[in-house]
mmCIF file of all heavy atoms in Angstrom:
data_model
loop_
_atom_site.group_PDB
_atom_site.id
_atom_site.type_symbol
_atom_site.label_atom_id
_atom_site.label_comp_id
_atom_site.label_asym_id
_atom_site.label_seq_id
_atom_site.Cartn_x
_atom_site.Cartn_y
_atom_site.Cartn_z
ATOM 1 N N ASN A 368 112.532 104.517 112.129
ATOM 2 C CA ASN A 368 113.818 104.472 112.865
ATOM 3 C C ASN A 368 113.666 104.753 114.370
ATOM 4 O O ASN A 368 114.628 105.027 115.056
ATOM 5 C CB ASN A 368 114.802 105.515 112.240
ATOM 6 C CG ASN A 368 114.232 106.909 112.194
ATOM 7 O OD1 ASN A 368 113.108 107.150 112.623
ATOM 8 N ND2 ASN A 368 115.054 107.824 111.704
ATOM 9 N N GLN A 369 112.409 104.770 114.872
ATOM 10 C CA GLN A 369 112.153 104.869 116.313
ATOM 11 C C GLN A 369 112.774 106.126 116.929
ATOM 12 O O GLN A 369 113.316 106.079 118.041
ATOM 13 C CB GLN A 369 112.602 103.650 117.044
ATOM 14 C CG GLN A 369 111.802 102.382 116.696
ATOM 15 C CD GLN A 369 112.173 101.229 117.582
ATOM 16 O OE1 GLN A 369 113.240 100.680 117.544
ATOM 17 N NE2 GLN A 369 111.226 100.797 118.420
ATOM 18 N N ASP A 370 112.681 107.250 116.202
ATOM 19 C CA ASP A 370 113.171 108.487 116.785
ATOM 20 C C ASP A 370 112.031 109.364 117.295
ATOM 21 O O ASP A 370 112.266 110.508 117.741
ATOM 22 C CB ASP A 370 113.999 109.264 115.757
ATOM 23 C CG ASP A 370 113.161 109.730 114.545
ATOM 24 O OD1 ASP A 370 112.005 109.308 114.411
ATOM 25 O OD2 ASP A 370 113.699 110.496 113.737
ATOM 26 N N GLY A 371 110.793 108.858 117.245
ATOM 27 C CA GLY A 371 109.639 109.572 117.752
ATOM 28 C C GLY A 371 109.007 110.495 116.709
ATOM 29 O O GLY A 371 108.067 111.227 117.068
ATOM 30 N N TRP A 372 109.463 110.492 115.458
ATOM 31 C CA TRP A 372 108.953 111.359 114.425
ATOM 32 C C TRP A 372 108.373 110.504 113.267
ATOM 33 O O TRP A 372 109.026 109.533 112.845
ATOM 34 C CB TRP A 372 110.024 112.305 113.884
ATOM 35 C CG TRP A 372 110.469 113.317 114.868
ATOM 36 C CD1 TRP A 372 111.260 113.047 115.980
ATOM 37 C CD2 TRP A 372 110.173 114.681 114.938
ATOM 38 N NE1 TRP A 372 111.468 114.218 116.725
ATOM 39 C CE2 TRP A 372 110.773 115.263 116.065
ATOM 40 C CE3 TRP A 372 109.391 115.546 114.107
ATOM 41 C CZ2 TRP A 372 110.687 116.595 116.407
ATOM 42 C CZ3 TRP A 372 109.303 116.887 114.423
ATOM 43 C CH2 TRP A 372 109.930 117.407 115.564
ATOM 44 N N PRO A 373 107.204 110.807 112.762
ATOM 45 C CA PRO A 373 106.547 109.963 111.748
ATOM 46 C C PRO A 373 107.236 110.067 110.394
ATOM 47 O O PRO A 373 107.461 111.151 109.862
ATOM 48 C CB PRO A 373 105.122 110.489 111.720
ATOM 49 C CG PRO A 373 105.224 111.912 112.169
ATOM 50 C CD PRO A 373 106.332 111.948 113.174
ATOM 51 N N ASP A 374 107.556 108.873 109.825
ATOM 52 C CA ASP A 374 108.141 108.784 108.508
ATOM 53 C C ASP A 374 107.039 108.391 107.518
ATOM 54 O O ASP A 374 105.907 108.110 107.874
ATOM 55 C CB ASP A 374 109.272 107.710 108.525
ATOM 56 C CG ASP A 374 110.292 107.983 109.659
ATOM 57 O OD1 ASP A 374 110.783 109.146 109.721
ATOM 58 O OD2 ASP A 374 110.515 107.096 110.489
ATOM 59 N N VAL A 375 107.419 108.313 106.231
ATOM 60 C CA VAL A 375 106.450 108.096 105.151
ATOM 61 C C VAL A 375 106.931 106.935 104.277
ATOM 62 O O VAL A 375 108.099 106.864 103.935
ATOM 63 C CB VAL A 375 106.259 109.363 104.315
ATOM 64 C CG1 VAL A 375 105.246 109.102 103.164
ATOM 65 C CG2 VAL A 375 105.762 110.519 105.155
ATOM 66 N N LEU A 376 105.982 106.065 103.874
ATOM 67 C CA LEU A 376 106.257 104.999 102.924
ATOM 68 C C LEU A 376 105.324 105.153 101.713
ATOM 69 O O LEU A 376 104.124 105.417 101.895
ATOM 70 C CB LEU A 376 106.062 103.632 103.528
ATOM 71 C CG LEU A 376 106.902 103.237 104.780
ATOM 72 C CD1 LEU A 376 106.093 103.440 106.030
ATOM 73 C CD2 LEU A 376 107.401 101.824 104.705
ATOM 74 N N LEU A 377 105.856 104.961 100.531
ATOM 75 C CA LEU A 377 105.077 105.032 99.296
ATOM 76 C C LEU A 377 104.989 103.656 98.616
ATOM 77 O O LEU A 377 106.006 103.035 98.387
ATOM 78 C CB LEU A 377 105.705 105.997 98.312
ATOM 79 C CG LEU A 377 105.747 107.493 98.652
ATOM 80 C CD1 LEU A 377 106.364 108.239 97.495
ATOM 81 C CD2 LEU A 377 104.377 108.014 99.004
ATOM 82 N N ALA A 378 103.787 103.196 98.343
ATOM 83 C CA ALA A 378 103.528 101.970 97.591
ATOM 84 C C ALA A 378 103.324 102.371 96.115
ATOM 85 O O ALA A 378 102.308 103.019 95.808
ATOM 86 C CB ALA A 378 102.364 101.228 98.101
ATOM 87 N N ASN A 379 104.248 101.998 95.251
ATOM 88 C CA ASN A 379 104.229 102.472 93.838
ATOM 89 C C ASN A 379 104.023 101.289 92.885
ATOM 90 O O ASN A 379 104.486 100.177 93.126
ATOM 91 C CB ASN A 379 105.508 103.166 93.512
ATOM 92 C CG ASN A 379 105.759 104.409 94.337
ATOM 93 O OD1 ASN A 379 104.836 105.207 94.522
ATOM 94 N ND2 ASN A 379 106.962 104.581 94.839
ATOM 95 N N SER A 380 103.350 101.582 91.811
ATOM 96 C CA SER A 380 103.197 100.587 90.730
ATOM 97 C C SER A 380 104.292 100.742 89.730
ATOM 98 O O SER A 380 104.569 101.870 89.262
ATOM 99 C CB SER A 380 101.828 100.750 90.077
ATOM 100 O OG SER A 380 101.645 99.802 89.041
ATOM 101 N N ASP A 381 104.939 99.622 89.361
ATOM 102 C CA ASP A 381 105.978 99.613 88.332
ATOM 103 C C ASP A 381 107.143 100.565 88.712
ATOM 104 O O ASP A 381 107.757 101.188 87.815
ATOM 105 C CB ASP A 381 105.437 100.009 86.964
ATOM 106 C CG ASP A 381 104.286 99.075 86.571
ATOM 107 O OD1 ASP A 381 104.536 97.844 86.542
ATOM 108 O OD2 ASP A 381 103.167 99.561 86.291
ATOM 109 N N GLU A 382 107.472 100.637 89.964
ATOM 110 C CA GLU A 382 108.545 101.477 90.485
ATOM 111 C C GLU A 382 108.935 100.940 91.833
ATOM 112 O O GLU A 382 108.204 100.120 92.435
ATOM 113 C CB GLU A 382 108.110 102.924 90.564
ATOM 114 C CG GLU A 382 109.160 103.943 91.041
ATOM 115 C CD GLU A 382 110.421 103.877 90.255
ATOM 116 O OE1 GLU A 382 110.480 104.439 89.162
ATOM 117 O OE2 GLU A 382 111.349 103.201 90.728
ATOM 118 N N TYR A 383 110.138 101.299 92.331
ATOM 119 C CA TYR A 383 110.478 100.902 93.695
ATOM 120 C C TYR A 383 109.460 101.480 94.690
ATOM 121 O O TYR A 383 108.832 102.518 94.473
ATOM 122 C CB TYR A 383 111.873 101.488 94.081
ATOM 123 C CG TYR A 383 113.026 101.002 93.236
ATOM 124 C CD1 TYR A 383 113.784 101.921 92.528
ATOM 125 C CD2 TYR A 383 113.360 99.665 93.188
ATOM 126 C CE1 TYR A 383 114.876 101.485 91.780
ATOM 127 C CE2 TYR A 383 114.448 99.212 92.452
ATOM 128 C CZ TYR A 383 115.168 100.152 91.729
ATOM 129 O OH TYR A 383 116.258 99.700 90.978
ATOM 130 N N ASN A 384 109.273 100.737 95.811
ATOM 131 C CA ASN A 384 108.545 101.287 96.920
ATOM 132 C C ASN A 384 109.478 101.999 97.841
ATOM 133 O O ASN A 384 110.356 101.355 98.442
ATOM 134 C CB ASN A 384 107.782 100.162 97.639
ATOM 135 C CG ASN A 384 106.737 99.486 96.772
ATOM 136 O OD1 ASN A 384 105.991 100.180 96.084
ATOM 137 N ND2 ASN A 384 106.718 98.129 96.743
ATOM 138 N N PHE A 385 109.325 103.317 97.962
ATOM 139 C CA PHE A 385 110.259 104.141 98.707
ATOM 140 C C PHE A 385 109.818 104.380 100.144
ATOM 141 O O PHE A 385 108.631 104.311 100.434
ATOM 142 C CB PHE A 385 110.430 105.508 98.063
ATOM 143 C CG PHE A 385 110.983 105.470 96.648
ATOM 144 C CD1 PHE A 385 110.208 105.701 95.553
ATOM 145 C CD2 PHE A 385 112.354 105.234 96.466
ATOM 146 C CE1 PHE A 385 110.708 105.677 94.245
ATOM 147 C CE2 PHE A 385 112.891 105.189 95.176
ATOM 148 C CZ PHE A 385 112.065 105.427 94.091
ATOM 149 N N TYR A 386 110.786 104.707 100.989
ATOM 150 C CA TYR A 386 110.429 105.274 102.293
ATOM 151 C C TYR A 386 111.286 106.510 102.538
ATOM 152 O O TYR A 386 112.437 106.604 102.031
ATOM 153 C CB TYR A 386 110.516 104.287 103.402
ATOM 154 C CG TYR A 386 111.856 103.674 103.714
ATOM 155 C CD1 TYR A 386 112.735 104.235 104.614
ATOM 156 C CD2 TYR A 386 112.248 102.488 103.080
ATOM 157 C CE1 TYR A 386 113.980 103.690 104.899
ATOM 158 C CE2 TYR A 386 113.501 101.947 103.297
ATOM 159 C CZ TYR A 386 114.360 102.519 104.242
ATOM 160 O OH TYR A 386 115.565 101.970 104.494
ATOM 161 N N MET A 387 110.743 107.440 103.337
ATOM 162 C CA MET A 387 111.396 108.737 103.578
ATOM 163 C C MET A 387 111.428 108.977 105.074
ATOM 164 O O MET A 387 110.400 108.793 105.744
ATOM 165 C CB MET A 387 110.640 109.879 102.933
ATOM 166 C CG MET A 387 110.483 109.739 101.421
ATOM 167 S SD MET A 387 108.956 108.877 100.945
ATOM 168 C CE MET A 387 108.933 109.258 99.217
ATOM 169 N N LEU A 388 112.561 109.371 105.630
ATOM 170 C CA LEU A 388 112.696 109.637 107.045
ATOM 171 C C LEU A 388 112.388 111.091 107.349
ATOM 172 O O LEU A 388 112.848 112.031 106.660
ATOM 173 C CB LEU A 388 114.098 109.251 107.514
ATOM 174 C CG LEU A 388 114.497 107.778 107.316
ATOM 175 C CD1 LEU A 388 115.901 107.527 107.850
ATOM 176 C CD2 LEU A 388 113.501 106.854 107.988
#
Side-chain angles (χ1 to χ4, degrees):
N368 56 359
Q369 293 188 293
D370 65 350
W372 293 74
D374 308 308
V375 179
L376 301 99
L377 295 182
N379 299 315
S380 180
D381 302 305
E382 182 53 81
Y383 298 120
N384 296 315
F385 297 107
Y386 62 92
M387 302 91 167
L388 299 181

